[in-house]
Amino acid sequence: MTDEGRWPGRPRLRALAEMFLIVVSILLGFSLDSWWDRRSDSAARQELARLLHADFIEARDQLRGSIARGDARVAASQALLAGLGDPVAIGADSLRALFPSILQPVEAVSAPASYRAAVSSGAVTILDDPALFRALSAVDAAQTWMDTYSRLGADIHYRGALAELEGTIGSLAVLITADEAPARFLPADYLEMVSRPEVYSASRLASQVGRNLLRSLRRMDSAMTSVIEQLETSGALD
């Protein structure tokens, strides 16, 4: 008698066992793939988080240096506007020392290039942290304001009020140093020149844009600090 005759259910059990092993092997393969993907994602997430953490700290340090210089320039521009209200009282030498505050714009510091590259490539999504994404959104908003005021500052210097003033007085250099002034500009002539309404108007506009840009730098500093703190507390660096 054959095995099938003795154990009529054996072929069915064998088939079920084989099907079970096939299903188990498929599920095991999926599990291994999933585990490997999670491990790879975790390594990529950690690498990106560490890169962003280091770069944001470096950018924030540069930003704070720019803020410190910006504070000094804005304070000087306020003193300049006050002095232009009574040029004779403050004197030509003091005014020459203050004019660089509006002729040298506050320097903007952008978000790190590594962050912009991660956004452009879509790699930033691997971080998968809502709180971190909110902090990064604040960086984007601060960047938008900073870019806006940087463009306004450039327009004022190269196409707007300061450019028009340069066309009127011949050269903005005469506002800064007597060495650059034509022979006809004696001290009394200088005070007369800076008393013109267009000098005050251009200076006031440049000062206002500088103050707004400085505010956007402080906003960026706060946003960058939030990103750094979130990276440190979320466990993404571990």
Side-chain angles (χ1 to χ4, degrees):
M1 181 180 295
T2 64
D3 290 342
E4 289 78 356
R6 278 186 236 159
W7 298 288
R10 186 169 183 179
R12 183 179 300 172
L13 291 174
R14 180 182 298 171
L16 289 174
E18 290 175 351
M19 290 177 61
F20 175 76
L21 290 175
I22 291 172
V23 171
V24 168
S25 64
I26 292 173
L27 292 176
L28 181 60
F30 283 146
S31 298
L32 289 174
D33 286 343
S34 179
W35 171 81
W36 181 254
D37 289 341
R38 288 196 302 272
R39 182 175 179 180
S40 300
D41 288 347
S42 178
R45 185 182 302 111
Q46 184 184 68
E47 181 181 2
L48 179 58
R50 288 178 175 177
L51 175 63
L52 292 180
H53 183 257
D55 287 354
F56 267 105
I57 288 177
E58 182 180 358
R60 188 183 61 177
D61 289 344
Q62 296 174 358
L63 180 66
R64 289 180 173 175
S66 182
I67 289 173
R69 292 187 294 273
D71 281 334
R73 288 177 186 171
V74 167
S77 72
Q78 295 301 295
L80 172 64
L81 294 178
L84 289 176
D86 190 359
V88 176
I90 190 172
D93 290 341
S94 295
L95 287 172
R96 287 192 179 100
L98 292 172
F99 265 112
S101 65
I102 64 163
L103 299 181
Q104 298 172 354
V106 176
E107 308 115 3
V109 177
S110 297
S114 56
Y115 168 60
R116 299 196 300 273
V119 171
S120 177
S121 66
V124 71
T125 58
I126 201 173
L127 295 173
D128 194 25
D129 183 338
L132 177 59
F133 288 156
R134 285 193 295 272
L136 291 172
S137 294
V139 168
D140 294 338
Q143 184 73 57
T144 298
W145 283 110
M146 194 162 52
D147 290 345
T148 298
Y149 287 119
S150 293
R151 285 194 296 270
L152 284 174
D155 286 344
I156 289 170
H157 279 77
Y158 299 112
R159 295 187 297 178
L162 287 176
E164 293 172 0
L165 179 60
E166 184 172 26
T168 300
I169 64 177
S171 170
L172 294 178
V174 302
L175 298 173
I176 300 174
T177 171
D179 296 335
E180 297 289 338
R184 70 179 187 275
F185 282 116
L186 300 175
D189 297 321
Y190 179 85
L191 293 176
E192 180 182 353
M193 177 184 66
V194 297
S195 298
R196 297 177 181 180
E198 58 266 31
V199 174
Y200 181 85
S201 177
S203 300
R204 182 174 180 274
L205 185 57
S207 175
Q208 183 177 1
V209 170
R211 292 197 308 273
N212 288 333
L213 179 55
L214 184 59
R215 278 196 288 268
S216 72
L217 294 186
R218 295 189 190 283
R219 185 174 180 177
M220 177 64 87
D221 178 78
S222 177
M224 285 187 176
T225 298
S226 295
V227 169
I228 293 167
E229 291 176 349
Q230 186 59 36
L231 285 169
E232 291 172 346
T233 58
S234 66
L237 301 176
D238 302 329

